[in-house]
Amino acid sequence: MTDWRVPLSDLDYGSEEADAAQRVIASRWLSMGPEVQAFEQEFAAMQEAEHALAVSSATAGLHLALLALGIGPGDEVVQPALNFVAAANMTIAVGATPVFADICSLDEPTIDPSEVERLISPRTKAVVVMHYGGSLCRMGELTELCATRGIAIVEDACHAVGVAYHDTRNRWPNGIMAGSIGDISAFSFFSNKNIAAGEGGMVVTNRGDLAERVRSLRSHGMTTLTWDRHKGHAGSYDVVSPGYNYRLDELHAALGRAQLKKLERNNQRRRDLLVSYREAVGSLDGWIMPFSDAIEYSSGHLMVVVAPNPDIRDRAVHALRQSGIQSSMHYPCVADFTGFANGSDRDLEVTRQFTRRAITLPLYPTLNPDRINCIVDVLRSV
Ligand SMILES: Cc1ncc(COP(=O)(O)O)c(C=O)c1O
């Protein structure tokens, strides 16, 4: 499947996923039905949340989250410039304006609460946070900031499945699962995620009003599903508002369920690998490994290092490629994309430094730990 000697990520797929797919095929029902319902229940239980609603992707989930919150033209949504473009794109899709905030530091590349406070205006309706690489944002400060102003928090929790908030001062929301802290959140089951199903997503919320709107909007605002009619539970349907087809199907839900069963073990494997990386990177001069002192509180989604300067970064990426080791960069600064160039253009100094110096290295549950020293030796060589 890959020409890389060490790919950036790899699936932990086996007989469990094959059996899950076979189960769906044998059931002769492919569209949203009992597998999706079971996946939602199991996911909600893991999240200790009231509602989990399966959707076709996290992008769809973010779209529905913003719509459910009633965000639209004239509203502003403060969000990190260091993020996958989905949240910014969906902000535009609902007619609102993304306002980009800087990250805390190169060592803590999550949205800076003091930046959020500076950027909040009378038009701010929501703040999107993103738990970079699986380490959580400063949710205590962010929650205080937003709650006192009546601003909603949307968690882009795509990197942080299966991990709880931890604050050394033992303050709220200690122990609460990422994605269950804000008003509403979105998870992704894209191939490289900790739960990989190819495509798919989950919206999580404890607010019944938001859950109902998401449930309705994900299926054209229709009052029943084809499954309900198939089972004879409903004969017809009404459309209570315009909506979308953002439904998840049974095959993806079954794969997601098989992966969910492996999540705790695989997140621990990822953390163990991060600890090995930390030991190896510690011997390099001037390189930073973000969140390296809090690996035990991460989902271990990404292994990121920050090079001493952009030139060394570029040379390291080249040397890794020459050695057959795939690397990446999470993420380009969203405010610098052509499509967003006319948006908010604050200085975003730390984000821009980070994007010029960061490298994402291979990390996946089945990565052979012996590879880590070889990978870090390539960085040492430049
Ligand atoms: C942080 C983040 N947000 C949003 C998304 C979008 O997820 P999806 O591909 O499921 O729409 C991703 C996935 O790549 C992501 O990593």
Side-chain angles (χ1 to χ4, degrees):
M1 283 299 287
T2 170
D3 294 334
W4 296 100
R5 195 160 61 87
V6 190
L8 190 65
S9 79
D10 200 3
L11 295 173
D12 177 21
Y13 260 45
S15 57
E16 302 88 344
E17 287 76 12
D19 290 348
Q22 191 52 46
R23 183 175 70 234
V24 173
I25 292 162
S27 80
R28 305 191 61 73
W29 188 264
L30 299 177
S31 312
M32 181 172 268
E35 286 286 340
V36 171
Q37 212 173 36
F39 189 26
E40 290 179 338
Q41 282 163 3
E42 290 159 9
F43 204 91
M46 185 262 295
Q47 285 294 131
E48 296 176 11
E50 290 288 323
H51 310 278
L53 294 134
V55 285
S56 51
S57 69
T59 304
L62 289 166
H63 192 191
L64 297 183
L66 295 174
L67 288 170
L69 286 165
I71 293 166
D75 297 332
E76 290 179 349
V77 179
V78 177
Q79 54 195 282
L82 184 71
N83 194 0
F84 183 62
V85 73
N89 271 342
M90 292 307 101
T91 304
I92 302 284
V94 300
T97 304
V99 175
F100 296 113
D102 213 344
I103 50 176
C104 294
S105 67
L106 298 179
D107 192 38
E108 189 183 357
T110 45
I111 194 164
D112 180 350
S114 66
E115 272 280 279
V116 173
E117 189 165 15
R118 183 173 74 82
L119 295 171
I120 284 174
S121 83
R123 292 167 61 188
T124 308
K125 265 274 185 72
V127 172
V128 176
V129 302
M130 196 276 275
H131 306 302
Y132 186 93
S135 293
L136 271 63
C137 301
R138 297 187 187 182
M139 293 309 291
E141 284 167 67
L142 291 161
T143 305
E144 269 171 33
L145 208 60
C146 292
T148 50
R149 293 166 173 82
I151 295 170
I153 293 186
V154 178
E155 292 180 75
D156 179 336
C158 292
H159 292 187
V161 65
V163 66
Y165 185 72
H166 176 83
D167 183 330
T168 47
R169 290 158 297 176
N170 214 23
R171 290 193 326 182
W172 197 90
N174 240 7
I176 300 183
M177 299 299 284
S180 299
I181 303 169
D183 291 80
I184 190 163
S185 67
F187 290 88
S188 171
F189 308 128
F190 186 68
S191 305
N192 61 7
K193 296 295 186 284
N194 292 28
I195 291 179
E199 298 284 0
M202 195 71 79
V203 172
V204 169
T205 181
N206 282 312
R207 282 180 53 181
D209 59 328
L210 298 182
E212 274 327 295
R213 259 174 266 169
V214 169
R215 191 187 304 284
S216 174
L217 287 167
R218 80 172 163 184
S219 191
H220 293 292
M222 290 162 68
T223 49
T224 66
L225 288 171
T226 313
W227 171 251
D228 302 318
R229 296 191 291 282
H230 175 72
K231 295 303 282 180
H233 299 321
S236 184
Y237 58 85
D238 187 20
V239 173
V240 293
S241 71
Y244 303 84
N245 174 2
Y246 282 163
R247 295 183 301 264
L248 190 70
D249 66 280
E250 295 285 273
L251 272 169
H252 287 99
L255 295 176
R257 292 179 73 196
Q259 289 271 288
L260 179 58
K261 288 202 180 80
K262 298 178 177 180
L263 182 68
E264 214 174 298
R265 182 197 71 192
N266 279 347
N267 279 1
Q268 190 53 48
R269 283 188 183 166
R270 288 169 175 274
R271 284 189 286 267
D272 292 345
L273 291 162
L274 283 176
V275 168
S276 302
Y277 263 119
R278 176 173 62 192
E279 278 163 25
V281 170
S283 66
L284 301 178
D285 254 0
W287 290 74
I288 299 166
M289 181 175 159
F291 299 112
S292 60
D293 57 355
I295 291 172
E296 64 267 49
Y297 307 116
S298 169
S299 72
H301 178 56
L302 295 179
M303 167 59 208
V304 176
V305 278
V306 182
N309 62 54
D311 176 53
I312 294 181
R313 177 205 182 265
D314 293 346
R315 285 195 280 132
V317 168
H318 180 72
L320 288 164
R321 191 180 306 122
Q322 295 294 104
S323 307
I325 298 163
Q326 189 182 13
S327 68
S328 181
M329 206 282 286
H330 293 79
Y331 294 94
C333 174
V334 178
D336 290 343
F337 285 133
T338 310
F340 290 90
N342 292 329
S344 145
D345 193 17
R346 332 258 167 183
D347 51 8
L348 302 170
E349 193 189 321
V350 192
T351 299
R352 289 193 170 112
Q353 258 201 63
F354 187 87
T355 60
R356 283 196 291 266
R357 290 170 52 186
I359 309 174
T360 309
L361 297 173
L363 181 66
Y364 44 91
T366 56
L367 174 66
N368 181 345
D370 296 342
R371 296 280 198 192
I372 288 175
N373 280 331
C374 308
I375 294 167
V376 174
D377 280 346
V378 176
L379 304 183
R380 198 186 320 279
S381 73
V382 299

